[in-house]
Amino acid sequence: MAAEPIYLDHHATTPVDPRVLEAMEPYWRRDFGNAASRGHLFGWRAEAAVEDARERIAAAIGAEPREIVFTSGATESNNLALLGAARARRRGHVVTVATEHKAVLDPVRALEREGFRVTRLPVEADGLLELPRLEEALADDTVLVSVMAANNEIGVLQPVQEAAGLCRERGIPLHSDAAQALGKIPLDLAEWPADLVSATAHKLYGPKGVGFLFVRNRRPRVRIAPLFHGGGHERGLRSGTLPVPLVAGMARAVELAVAEREADAVRMGALRDRLRARLEAELPGVHVHGDLVRRLPGNLNCGFEGVDGEKLLLALPRLAVSTGSACTSASPEPSHVLAALGVPEALARASLRFGVGRETTGAQIEAAADQVVAAVASLRGEAR
Ligand SMILES: Cc1ncc(COP(=O)(O)O)c(C=O)c1O
């Protein structure tokens, strides 16, 4: 059997950590109850597991347990935050950033169709949002601002804390999509003035299909119109039977990611830097996209001049990487993120996103660099 390709696509998803799998195990069969069953032991046990998970997630991120609303993942959390908070206000102005994930941009477009006024802020060539642009955009009728914490394609870290401060001074709620950031950068919601924060378990070695929305408990609390009706679970914000094993797994995954964050960051950052150093030393015409300092430790995104984008991926069958974001790769358009940075279309198409993970080894990075150098050189018609 041929060897598995090297997995360097950890922004798309991550494998479940064995410790997470272990934490989920009791809730598939032994303690399988419905957390909303109030009349018997099976339900009580499931409810206890859910509340224990809520407390542990809250403790790991500086939140209160009642500020955590369980969802199916960051797409749902973003939709609940954006559609929910805007619709509760009925009309007004919504501000977001051009490089957000589609799970933010698409609900914002839906709000625009419903009559909300929308501003999509541009970013600079390094992918970062300049705060004065946000400040200028805020208006008397602004009802919500959404700025992601870490970009899923180029890994840059937006100044969310400062943006949230600006919004708070004006009484405007700020939402942040932290799907790529939680467990990767310091994130203490006791310090962050954001009101709504989205997260998902499968980006941090937890299971797919579960996430949460942090809804700050302050006066006045941000009002949210629920997306689903029925049952009144999660304080009426998200009806639906909770997936107890997934919730328990997510709590363990969040705890581990937060506890091991610093050590993981140092190791993954060194591997990412090694990959970048080799590509830049061994190939001319390599363009790294996005700021290099304010960046996720495991992210590298670079374009290779003079190479056809489609042929590049085909020339790398032993490497699991992506061009643009996995969630948009079904559509043939070049990445909207790279376009927002002003990257020319041909270079954007000839760009690869590398995502180093917890289990990535030095040997895998060397092998990946060998493969990319050989593929680019061969597509450029150079013998190596
Ligand atoms: C920044 C960002 N937001 C949202 C999502 C969607 O998350 P989920 O897969 O949990 O719906 C992703 C995942 O691709 C992401 O990277």
Side-chain angles (χ1 to χ4, degrees):
M1 206 174 78
E4 288 279 291
I6 299 169
Y7 188 77
L8 287 180
D9 204 11
H10 289 87
H11 301 297
T13 196
T14 55
V16 172
D17 188 296
R19 295 167 291 180
V20 169
L21 209 52
E22 200 182 315
M24 292 163 65
E25 212 279 323
Y27 304 104
W28 297 111
R29 285 199 54 80
R30 195 191 69 201
D31 295 335
F32 64 89
N34 185 327
S37 295
R38 290 273 151 79
H40 51 68
L41 187 62
F42 296 91
W44 301 331
R45 282 194 191 136
E47 190 190 15
V50 165
E51 294 317 315
D52 177 59
R54 202 187 302 281
E55 276 169 28
R56 285 160 50 197
I57 290 171
I61 61 171
E64 293 170 24
R66 62 208 212 118
E67 294 177 320
I68 306 297
V69 177
F70 292 123
T71 65
S72 62
T75 299
E76 187 189 333
S77 299
N78 287 345
N79 274 267
L80 180 59
L82 293 157
L83 300 178
R87 284 176 183 162
R89 299 291 296 271
R90 292 174 191 278
R91 62 172 65 84
H93 176 223
V94 175
V95 179
T96 190
V97 185
T99 50
E100 294 288 318
H101 192 272
K102 296 282 182 193
V104 165
L105 295 175
D106 288 354
V108 166
R109 188 160 355 109
L111 288 171
E112 199 167 32
R113 284 195 294 265
E114 291 173 23
F116 287 86
R117 193 161 66 79
V118 170
T119 302
R120 295 173 187 84
L121 297 170
V123 293
E124 305 304 302
D126 59 7
L128 294 171
L129 169 67
E130 288 281 338
L131 285 170
R133 289 193 192 269
L134 170 62
E135 208 165 357
E136 271 165 38
L138 299 177
D140 290 343
D141 65 339
T142 307
V143 292
L144 187 64
V145 173
S146 185
V147 178
M148 75 195 321
N151 187 272
N152 49 298
E153 293 190 35
I154 54 174
V156 299
L157 310 179
Q158 296 295 7
V160 178
Q161 193 163 1
E162 295 82 352
L166 279 181
C167 292
R168 179 160 286 189
E169 283 165 20
R170 292 161 179 78
I172 302 167
L174 180 129
H175 164 253
S176 185
D177 176 350
Q180 297 286 347
L182 179 58
K184 317 282 170 43
I185 60 166
L187 201 158
D188 180 358
L189 292 170
E191 300 288 324
W192 266 39
D195 294 285
L196 301 163
V197 176
S198 301
T200 187
H202 76 97
K203 310 283 189 188
L204 40 83
Y205 307 88
K208 293 168 184 61
V210 68
F212 65 86
L213 177 66
F214 161 84
V215 182
R216 190 174 293 282
N217 178 34
R218 69 170 168 104
R219 285 173 203 281
R221 189 178 163 121
V222 185
R223 272 193 305 134
I224 296 195
L227 300 176
F228 308 156
H229 303 276
H233 308 72
E234 298 298 278
R235 301 166 157 264
L237 283 180
R238 203 279 191 173
S239 287
T241 299
L242 285 171
V244 182
L246 305 187
V247 166
M250 174 163 66
R252 188 79 183 114
V254 170
E255 273 179 349
L256 290 169
V258 169
E260 297 174 3
R261 184 188 62 74
E262 281 186 62
D264 279 350
V266 170
R267 217 179 44 77
M268 284 166 26
L271 292 174
R272 186 268 317 271
D273 292 345
R274 169 71 183 156
L275 178 60
R276 176 181 156 223
R278 275 203 58 192
L279 297 180
E280 286 185 335
E282 295 173 38
L283 290 167
V286 175
H287 297 263
V288 177
H289 306 306
D291 189 81
L292 283 167
V293 178
R294 299 193 53 143
R295 193 181 191 106
L296 289 172
N299 175 277
L300 180 68
N301 189 320
C302 51
F304 303 90
E305 260 175 39
V307 166
D308 180 279
E310 269 173 47
K311 291 189 184 147
L312 181 58
L313 256 197
L314 291 176
L316 292 167
R318 317 263 8 110
L319 204 55
V321 290
S322 77
T323 50
S325 115
C327 309
T328 55
S329 61
S331 67
E333 299 114 51
S335 146
H336 70 282
V337 173
L338 298 182
L341 268 61
V343 176
E345 186 173 327
L347 187 61
R349 288 187 191 277
S351 294
L352 297 177
R353 174 185 70 175
F354 301 92
V356 175
R358 212 182 252 171
E359 293 166 19
T360 305
T361 63
Q364 287 180 319
I365 289 293
E366 301 303 338
D370 291 344
Q371 290 177 32
V372 176
V373 168
V376 171
S378 128
L379 290 171
R380 284 175 178 166
E382 300 162 14
R384 286 267 163 166

